[in-house]
Amino acid sequence: MSSEYMAEHFYVHEYGHTIQSKIWGPLYSLVPAACSLYSAITNSASDHHQFWTEVWANTYSENYFKKHYSTYSFPSCLIVR
């Protein structure tokens, strides 16, 4: 992990996965979580960061934190467009 990717960024990103799991319910572990784990095992860190489940988690967390914390500045290291 680069020094730019701090604990706060990790929390923000992982919260996006929490939102994903609320949307998918029990199916979350069968599709997004399994795909994410496979990507983490088989891809480099930079490729995994751009994997669809990870980009999706960042998008959800970005929307959530910007909506609920108006002064929050989303970490640029998590933005992949």
Side-chain angles (χ1 to χ4, degrees):
M1 264 188 232
S2 70
S3 59
E4 182 184 9
Y5 197 81
M6 304 300 200
E8 174 194 352
H9 305 148
F10 184 73
Y11 168 78
V12 168
H13 170 77
E14 291 306 315
Y15 194 75
H17 286 301
T18 300
I19 296 169
Q20 286 174 326
S21 72
K22 288 180 180 185
I23 292 168
W24 280 75
L27 294 176
Y28 175 74
S29 61
L30 296 175
V31 181
C35 291
S36 180
L37 178 61
Y38 180 77
S39 171
I41 293 169
T42 60
N43 289 324
S44 68
S46 62
D47 287 343
H48 177 67
H49 183 70
Q50 296 179 27
F51 194 68
W52 70 271
T53 58
E54 306 309 303
V55 173
W56 186 28
N58 289 338
T59 301
Y60 277 128
S61 62
E62 179 180 19
N63 293 339
Y64 176 84
F65 282 93
K66 284 184 175 179
K67 177 180 178 182
H68 295 284
Y69 303 96
S70 60
T71 60
Y72 184 75
S73 176
F74 195 74
S76 62
C77 64
L78 297 181
I79 298 173
V80 177
R81 304 270 192 244

